[in-house]
Amino acid sequence: MLNVAANHPNASTVGLVLPPAAGARGSRLLVGATYTGYGSAYFPRNRSLEDHRFENTPEIAIRSLDARGDLAKLFTFDLNPSDDNILKIKQGAKEQHKLGFVRAFLHPAAPPPGAPSYAYLALNSEARAGDKESQARSLLARICLPRGAGGDAKKLTESYIQLGLQCAGGAGRGDLYSRLVSVFPARELLFAVFERPQVAPGGRAAPAALCAFRFADVRAAIRAARTACFVEPAPDVVAVLDSVVQGTGPACERKRNIQLQPEQLDCGAAHLQHPLSILQPLKAAPVFRALGLTSVAVAVANNYTAVFLGTVSGRLLKINLDESMRVVSRRVVTVAYGEPVHHVMQFDPADPGYLYLMTSHQMARVKVAACSAYSTCGDCVGAADAYCGWCALETRCTLRRDCANSSQQHFWTSASAGPGRCPSMTVLPAEIDVRQEYPGMILQISGSLPSLSGMEMACDYGNNIRTVARVPGPAFGHQIAYCNLLPRDRFPPFPPHQDHVTVEMSLRVNGQNIVRANFTIYDCSRVGQVYPHTACTSCLSAQWPCFWCTQQHTCVSNRSRCDASPTPTSPRDCPRTLPAPLAPVSTGGSQDILVPLANAAHFQGTALECSFGLEDTFEAVWVNESAVRCNQVVLHATQKSQVFPLSLQLKGWPARFLDSPDPMTVEVYNCAMGSPDCSQCLGREDLGHLCVWSEGCRLRGPLQPQPGPCPAPEIRAIEPLSGPLDGGTLLTIRGRNLGRRLSDVAHGVWIGGVACEPLAGRYTVSEEIVCATGPAPGPFSDVVTVNASKDGRSRERFSYVVREAAALRLAYPPRTPLRPGPRPDRLPSSPQLPLVHSLEPAMGPKAGGTRITILGSDLHVGSELQVLVNDTEPCTELLRTDSSITCTMPGGALPAAVPVCVRFEHRGCVHGNLTFWYMQNPVITAISPRRSPVSGGRTITVAGERFHMVQNVSMAAHHIGREPTLCKVLNSTLITCPSPGALSNASVPVDFFINGRAYADEVAAAEELLAPEEAQRGSGFRLEYLPDPRFSTAKREKWIKHHPGEPLTLVIHKEQDGLGLQTHEYHVKIGQVACDIQIVSDRVIHCSVNESLGTAEGQLPITIQVGNFNQTIATLQLGGSETAIIVSIVICSVLLLLSVVALFVFCTKSRRAERYWQKTLLQMEEMESQIREEIRKGFAELQTDMTDLTKELNRSQGIPFLEYKHFVTRTFFPKCSSLYEERYVLPTQTLNSQGGSPVQETHPLLGEWKIPESRRPNMEEGISLFSSLLNNKHFLIVFVHALEQQKDFAVRDRCSLASLLTIALHGKLEYYTSIMKELLVDLIDASAAKNPKLMLRRTESVVEKMLTNWMSICMYSCLRETVGEPFFLLLRAIKQQVNKGSIDAITGKARYTLNEEWLLRENIEAKPRNLNVSFQGCGMDSLSVRAMDTDTLTQVKEKILEAFCKNVPYSQWPRVEDVDLEWFASSTQSYILRDLDDTSVVEDGRKKLNTLAHYKIPEGASLAMSLIDKKDNTLSRVKDLDTEKYFHLVLPTDELAEPRKSHRQSHRKKVLPEIYLTRLLSTKGTLQKFLDDLFKAILTIREDKPPLAVKYFFDFLEEQAEKRGISDPDTLHIWKTNSLPLRFWVNILKNPQFVFDIDKTDHIDACLSVIAQAFIDACSISDLQLGKDSPTNKLLYAKEIPEYRKTVQRYYKQIQDMAPLSEQEMNAHLAEESRKYQNEFNTNVAMAEIYKYAKRYRPQIMTALEANPTARRTQLQHKFEQVVALMEDNIYECYSEA
């Protein structure tokens, strides 16, 4: 029997299925297993020493998975002899080499053909038991696999090499994490989790760290090690593993006369020493640290690296790393609390959006992101989640695949874009006057949003109020929209006490509110209502443009509405009252009040009233223009004192007042209120209250004498009753008549003869004095005396005490005077200062909250007392008596013993050897059950550790919980808690509060501290609240009859609830008698009552209780009638009858639904069959046609390539080329017998330089000098940078300048390349500082357009020789496939297309017609041409011209408008066929275009086509016709409006338009081969002509990335994709007219856009997230994209593996390209165009040249001025400057 795995549950085994070796039929299995034989810790102790079953199992082996018909051969070693494919540690070395395996994996997992692939083993060489100095070593071993099918298989040990992995912190921290826990390969990085073995083995979680290693460093270390072993031996670098049985030798040795090949450096050889061990570990710094990490899985998405880390507590930490491996966000997910996560995690291969992981008892499939948790864009993007982004038009946070059109720019914003890219909006005007008309509103929209042009838009004001919105045109980034203001009658009401209302407006796009903003509607006239006492001031201070009308006393928004009287312009000019001090007035007293005014000259004479905020007002009389007098004001106060604000009111206008910004106030006092004793009454004199004490507090009359003294003070209580001799005790004295003011008792408080000094801040008139006791000469006890003109004595005595009896003999010099009088009573004994004896409990959790009690004596002495922990932290919630102090302990940092002391009166702390032990916190490990009814009350058992320290514990439910419940501690490991009640059904976290502190598991807390924003207060446990159980009697009756004396058994029906209740949790009662529960099942409860029920009541309720839930299910009637039974029988009979009827109806409907489903299924099968047949026929026909086309291409002139110069001008100047073509190409061409004339040179760069002859010498000299300047590298770089820094130098100008420079320097491509590289270095520096992945994404700078042009020049030969033919065949295939079906000439929609927008969603029956056509042109006389009977006559002409002129370039074809088509119906009759004539049919008010079917032209008809002399202008181009007047196949409203019952539509099958989307698949299937051929041609490297420019540029990018420390392979992939596929190939795919002389029709353009999108997706590294709502252009090629993507990656790898090019080789290649196309362009024209930019920005260029030291040194600015002078014909300036 073969032992494959380690035979012990705690020993490790890893396996990896390897691809078949050369000549092998089956796969192989690489196994790494820990040795478990004799001598190991895993060997069974009850086995004898002769038991050698496990001795021969090797640590590492490759085993066969091909049984070859014999199961005994399964798992045998792969090669023969077996020693070739095993690695086994020698028996004597097993103690030193205890291997624990972590993971086995392949890298790269799917290598390109011929590329190497390696198997890796991650393992630990465990520390030796009992050796304190021994540490675990983390190792990574590599084994080579055969390359390809023909590769030779090696011995396992030949290629085996291992190196250490070390994860350690830097900066002298020395924190080494020595033991490997888990690994995960991700592209070019290996992520690994390490842990540091704990010193104290009892800890719950070991410190752990995440490190990342580069596979490139592993490869380099292995090559260096083999070089150090065999070429230049270095014993400190590498050693031979002599502990392996299959090794070759003990040491490295130099191999003379042997040159090691690269494969030998990677994989070793049989004649070289093996296996090897690299002595120096590969080091990495921790990326992330945490406690208790157990596993890792890594994915790269959207410029972030998402790392998932499992923990020992069953949690999954998700951290997101940026490109520089910095942690940008963290999340915590609980998977299975308390169960450690297994060290191997794997993404779902079918859906990478999920992660599989295992714990001790379960496997979980966890979603990688919960994007829906973020409701706003700021939260979504700010979360920095690698997977989540903001879907702008759906206003939700989603995965990229879940957002429609997410592949297009601005539809989906990833977190890497930052919150600044979130959509935002500003409304102009932001403030709207409610009384002014506004034509509309301007919306400034910014952030990441697609162009809103063409979308359905509206402004949404809420409450179903919307107005139309529109945008002027396409735009991105910052967009402008216009919308109408909501109607005035729909303005929202103004809130009370507010002069404005804020309106929230949302921009609604396609039925979804995507962005919102606020604007304000204000009403100046409301200012006076809102601020009636400061109307003018508030009006002129408002944030709105308001004006104050003095005469109308109102606030307006238009000054013209005011009368001619002067109006104030600032708040200080407003008429207003001025504050003036007034003496307090007694209640009911009459007085005149003078009110000073300011700015009231225009108000003088206006009738005013004095208002005090009461119903009554008082007469106001003008004294002069600056003062008003309020006559005979009488006010009343019902309190001790009341303050009334005074304001001047316009008479007759209750709500209009003169401004009083600082109102004048009148204080009115009532002596009879608030003064219960004499001291309080007379003390009011200080407040200005004239009161006198006479059997109560009364108002003092004007003739009454000054009040006399008050009665003696009455002391009711003092505290404390004792204090130390040295004083300082705060003594509180409470009573009556304790002085009218502080000065009355300032020196009048005494304790015997010792003064007590009152504290001013704590004195309350007459009622309370707090004073600080002075020092006493010795211990004594005496009463407290207060002297306030008379003496008052306390009934209680205050005692001065000392700590020891000996203190009585000490003499204290008095620090305060002793009061003369009787001597104080000496204490008969020696009272002690406070003493502490003990503390209980003596231990508690370090979280704090333990309630301790300190026992002692005289603990009540003194006024202030503190209990301090560690002499610093106070013990809170303190209570004390004379013998005990109780307080709550604060939290402690570490488990340790801390001293506790008591401080009296801020003196030294009294320790008394009190010590409190902080212990590890209690731990909750499980709760059961985890479900509760919403009413709560279910007993939850809480299991854990260290509960003996718990004094009180409560349980609460998050969010929906009611009051927390109190729990009961059973013992040190168990607590029971009644579940809290809840407000609704949900699964919520539960909190435990132990000793008043919120419980948090220490491991969870350590994890959550990593993400403070997500830290959850709680235990990590959840309680699922379910609806309360529902019970009923067995027959659901409400009354149960029972005869007294008979036994009673109840059957209670229980509805399914999912609570899993146990028998003891049910309590059934009949009245007050418990019903004994006997049987409990899922549905039924049986209970019985053994005792007799009393008959006194007659009726007893039957109740059932579960926790807090209590339900009365029926009433027991003792000795009642039979009525209830009869009623129950009748009800059951009716229910049974209804059930039978319902069953019959259900069966009938089910049969109908089944028949309908069968019918639908048949229709679907028939449709599927039709699609298959259509694809098969279409592909067969197209293959035949394309075969004929290929033959014709070979026979004819071939593919109509444009000449190089035309390719360049169209590529460099795409917009200009189309304008030149429209302007210069003649509308008609005169065809000769050979086919026509050559295309004319239309671009200015291809013609002569047209300048005035008089200026030609100077300008030619100037251009020559300017050319020499452009050939100066310093000048050209400064020139380009200076222009790019100008704000008005637009993107179009940059592209134009770059193209002109390319033409001007076309003869020196090597110089042009060097300039481009220097500018690119500057661009890379700028991008690397921000986001390097965005580099080269667009063409917004000069150098980016220069790169596009450079690629076009260098790839032209590849385009013509390799890609041209498959591209042209694809174009012809598209055109022929489209022409095989009907095409609507008006709408342009076709039966066959790849683009959904151009799909004809109607079933138009079309029949082919073969026509015999004669035409004298293009070198042919007559042909048979195939057309469709639904074709218009223009479409027929196009097909005829294509048939006759297929071997002629399109530019030489005659136009359709220039030919006539004549049909010879008979020998005597002929007709001129036109799209519109007198025979055209009119349907629904529109003319239908004539077709072959309209003219009833038969099969084989004879037609003649001829050129006409002049153009017939009676009919414009068909596609320009008005759709309201004309149609072809379908009416424009067919797809939107209701079907019209016309004859034309009566025979048409009406189906859903989406059913015709299957035609896209038909067209795709037909064209698939041609598309595959094209992509293969683009992404294949020809050995005879490798892409040197691509290799050169890709190497340049890699070099720049390495210089800047950019190691992320995704970044390099994006750079390469942006520089070649997206910059060059996509441009060519979308614009075939740049390459061929052909007609790019709208249909070809639509299909090419879908193909180009597929190519873009293939080059992308982000996974396509597709769903049912994804666009068809994404779904159409979704299946092929993964294969295309592999092809792209293989192409990049092949480029990378090419031999590097030297600068000399590349320069020679570029020089050859320049020579090949020399003299193709007029460089003088290009120079002159460049000079125009130089002239426009002349000052800026001069400034830049003067600022550049090199330019100044070489006087480039002077040379540039000479160029300007020559070009501007100012030769004198030139000479003077020279």
Side-chain angles (χ1 to χ4, degrees), residues 230-262:
F230 309 129
V231 180
E232 298 176 358
D236 59 337
V237 175
V238 64
V240 179
L241 275 173
D242 58 353
S243 59
V244 178
V245 175
Q246 295 76 18
T248 57
C252 293
E253 61 180 15
R254 184 173 182 178
K255 304 294 182 182
R256 298 186 179 181
N257 303 324
I258 292 180
Q259 176 123 18
L260 294 182
Q261 300 301 316

Coordinates of all heavy atoms in Angstrom, one line a residue, residues 230-262:
F230 N 28.5 26.9 -9.6 CA 29.2 26.2 -10.7 C 30.2 27.0 -11.5 O 31.1 26.5 -12.1 CB 28.2 25.6 -11.7 CG 27.1 24.8 -11.0 CD1 25.7 25.1 -11.3 CD2 27.3 23.9 -10.1 CE1 24.7 24.4 -10.7 CE2 26.3 23.2 -9.4 CZ 25.0 23.4 -9.7
V231 N 30.0 28.3 -11.5 CA 30.9 29.2 -12.3 C 32.0 29.8 -11.4 O 33.2 29.7 -11.6 CB 30.1 30.3 -13.0 CG1 31.1 31.2 -13.8 CG2 29.1 29.6 -14.0
E232 N 31.5 30.5 -10.4 CA 32.4 31.1 -9.4 C 32.0 30.7 -8.0 O 31.2 31.4 -7.4 CB 32.4 32.6 -9.5 CG 32.9 33.1 -10.9 CD 32.8 34.6 -11.0 OE1 32.3 35.2 -10.1 OE2 33.2 35.1 -12.1
P233 N 32.4 29.6 -7.5 CA 31.8 29.1 -6.2 C 32.0 30.1 -5.1 O 33.0 30.7 -4.9 CB 32.7 27.8 -5.9 CG 33.2 27.4 -7.3 CD 33.4 28.7 -8.1
A234 N 30.8 30.3 -4.4 CA 30.8 31.2 -3.2 C 30.1 30.4 -2.1 O 28.9 30.3 -2.1 CB 30.1 32.5 -3.6
P235 N 30.8 29.9 -1.2 CA 30.1 29.0 -0.1 C 29.2 29.8 0.8 O 28.3 29.2 1.4 CB 31.3 28.5 0.7 CG 32.4 29.5 0.4 CD 32.3 29.9 -1.0
D236 N 29.3 31.1 0.8 CA 28.3 31.9 1.7 C 27.0 32.2 0.9 O 26.2 32.9 1.5 CB 29.0 33.1 2.2 CG 29.4 34.0 1.0 OD1 29.7 33.5 -0.1 OD2 29.6 35.2 1.3
V237 N 26.9 31.8 -0.3 CA 25.7 32.1 -1.1 C 24.8 30.9 -1.3 O 23.6 31.0 -1.1 CB 26.1 32.7 -2.5 CG1 24.9 32.9 -3.4 CG2 26.9 34.0 -2.3
V238 N 25.4 29.8 -1.6 CA 24.6 28.6 -2.0 C 25.3 27.4 -1.4 O 26.5 27.4 -1.3 CB 24.4 28.6 -3.5 CG1 25.6 28.4 -4.2 CG2 23.3 27.5 -3.8
A239 N 24.5 26.3 -1.2 CA 25.1 25.1 -0.7 C 24.3 23.9 -1.3 O 23.1 24.1 -1.6 CB 25.1 25.0 0.8
V240 N 24.9 22.8 -1.4 CA 24.2 21.6 -1.8 C 23.5 21.0 -0.6 O 24.1 20.9 0.5 CB 25.2 20.6 -2.4 CG1 24.4 19.3 -2.9 CG2 25.9 21.2 -3.6
L241 N 22.3 20.5 -0.8 CA 21.5 19.9 0.3 C 22.0 18.5 0.5 O 21.6 17.6 -0.2 CB 20.0 19.9 0.0 CG 19.2 21.2 0.3 CD1 17.8 21.0 -0.2 CD2 19.2 21.4 1.8
D242 N 22.9 18.3 1.4 CA 23.5 16.9 1.6 C 22.6 16.1 2.5 O 22.9 14.9 2.8 CB 24.9 17.0 2.2 CG 24.9 17.8 3.5 OD1 23.8 18.4 3.9 OD2 25.9 17.9 4.2
S243 N 21.5 16.7 3.0 CA 20.5 15.9 3.8 C 19.6 15.1 3.0 O 18.8 14.4 3.6 CB 19.8 16.9 4.7 OG 19.0 17.8 3.9
V244 N 19.6 15.2 1.7 CA 18.7 14.5 0.8 C 19.3 13.2 0.3 O 20.5 13.2 -0.1 CB 18.3 15.4 -0.4 CG1 17.3 14.7 -1.3 CG2 17.6 16.7 0.2
V245 N 18.5 12.2 0.3 CA 19.1 10.9 -0.1 C 19.5 10.9 -1.6 O 20.5 10.3 -1.9 CB 18.0 9.8 0.1 CG1 18.4 8.4 -0.4 CG2 17.6 9.7 1.6
Q246 N 18.8 11.6 -2.4 CA 19.0 11.6 -3.8 C 20.0 12.7 -4.3 O 20.1 12.9 -5.5 CB 17.7 11.8 -4.6 CG 16.7 10.7 -4.5 CD 16.0 10.7 -3.1 OE1 16.0 11.8 -2.5 NE2 15.4 9.6 -2.7
G247 N 20.7 13.3 -3.4 CA 21.6 14.4 -3.7 C 22.9 13.9 -4.4 O 23.2 12.7 -4.4
T248 N 23.7 14.8 -5.0 CA 24.8 14.4 -5.8 C 26.1 14.5 -5.0 O 27.0 13.6 -5.1 CB 25.0 15.3 -7.0 OG1 25.1 16.6 -6.6 CG2 23.8 15.1 -7.9
G249 N 26.2 15.5 -4.2 CA 27.5 15.7 -3.5 C 27.4 16.7 -2.4 O 26.4 17.4 -2.3
P250 N 28.5 16.8 -1.6 CA 28.4 17.6 -0.4 C 28.7 19.1 -0.7 O 28.4 19.9 0.2 CB 29.5 17.1 0.5 CG 30.5 16.5 -0.5 CD 29.7 16.0 -1.7
A251 N 29.2 19.5 -1.8 CA 29.6 20.9 -2.0 C 29.6 21.3 -3.5 O 29.6 20.5 -4.4 CB 31.1 21.1 -1.5
C252 N 29.5 22.6 -3.7 CA 29.6 23.2 -5.0 C 31.0 23.1 -5.5 O 32.0 23.1 -4.8 CB 29.1 24.6 -5.1 SG 27.4 24.8 -4.7
E253 N 31.1 23.0 -6.8 CA 32.5 23.0 -7.4 C 32.4 23.6 -8.8 O 31.4 23.5 -9.5 CB 33.1 21.6 -7.5 CG 32.3 20.6 -8.3 CD 32.9 19.3 -8.4 OE1 33.8 19.0 -7.5 OE2 32.5 18.5 -9.3
R254 N 33.5 24.3 -9.2 CA 33.5 24.9 -10.5 C 33.6 23.9 -11.6 O 34.4 23.0 -11.6 CB 34.7 25.9 -10.5 CG 34.8 26.7 -11.8 CD 35.9 27.7 -11.8 NE 35.9 28.5 -13.0 CZ 36.8 29.5 -13.1 NH1 37.6 29.8 -12.2 NH2 36.7 30.2 -14.2
K255 N 32.7 24.1 -12.6 CA 32.7 23.2 -13.8 C 33.5 23.9 -14.9 O 33.1 24.9 -15.5 CB 31.3 23.0 -14.3 CG 30.3 22.4 -13.2 CD 30.8 21.0 -12.8 CE 29.8 20.5 -11.7 NZ 30.2 19.1 -11.2
R256 N 34.7 23.3 -15.1 CA 35.6 23.9 -16.1 C 35.1 23.5 -17.5 O 34.6 22.5 -17.8 CB 37.0 23.4 -15.9 CG 37.5 23.8 -14.5 CD 39.0 23.5 -14.4 NE 39.5 23.9 -13.1 CZ 40.8 23.7 -12.7 NH1 41.6 23.1 -13.5 NH2 41.2 24.1 -11.5
N257 N 35.4 24.5 -18.4 CA 35.2 24.2 -19.8 C 33.7 24.0 -20.1 O 33.3 23.3 -21.1 CB 36.0 23.1 -20.4 CG 37.5 23.3 -20.2 OD1 38.0 24.5 -20.3 ND2 38.2 22.3 -19.9
I258 N 32.8 24.4 -19.2 CA 31.4 24.3 -19.4 C 30.7 25.6 -19.3 O 30.9 26.3 -18.3 CB 30.8 23.3 -18.4 CG1 31.3 21.9 -18.6 CG2 29.2 23.3 -18.5 CD1 30.7 20.9 -17.7
Q259 N 30.0 26.0 -20.4 CA 29.2 27.3 -20.3 C 27.8 26.9 -20.0 O 27.2 26.2 -20.7 CB 29.3 27.9 -21.7 CG 28.5 29.2 -21.7 CD 29.3 30.4 -22.0 OE1 30.3 30.3 -22.6 NE2 28.8 31.6 -21.7
L260 N 27.3 27.5 -18.9 CA 25.9 27.2 -18.5 C 25.0 27.9 -19.4 O 25.0 29.1 -19.6 CB 25.7 27.6 -17.1 CG 26.5 26.8 -16.0 CD1 26.1 27.3 -14.6 CD2 26.3 25.3 -16.1
Q261 N 24.0 27.1 -19.9 CA 23.0 27.7 -20.7 C 21.9 28.3 -19.8 O 21.8 27.9 -18.7 CB 22.3 26.6 -21.6 CG 23.3 25.9 -22.6 CD 23.9 27.0 -23.5 OE1 23.3 27.8 -24.1 NE2 25.3 26.9 -23.7
P262 N 21.1 29.2 -20.4 CA 20.0 29.8 -19.5 C 19.1 28.7 -18.9 O 18.7 28.9 -17.7 CB 19.2 30.7 -20.5 CG 20.2 31.0 -21.6 CD 21.1 29.8 -21.7

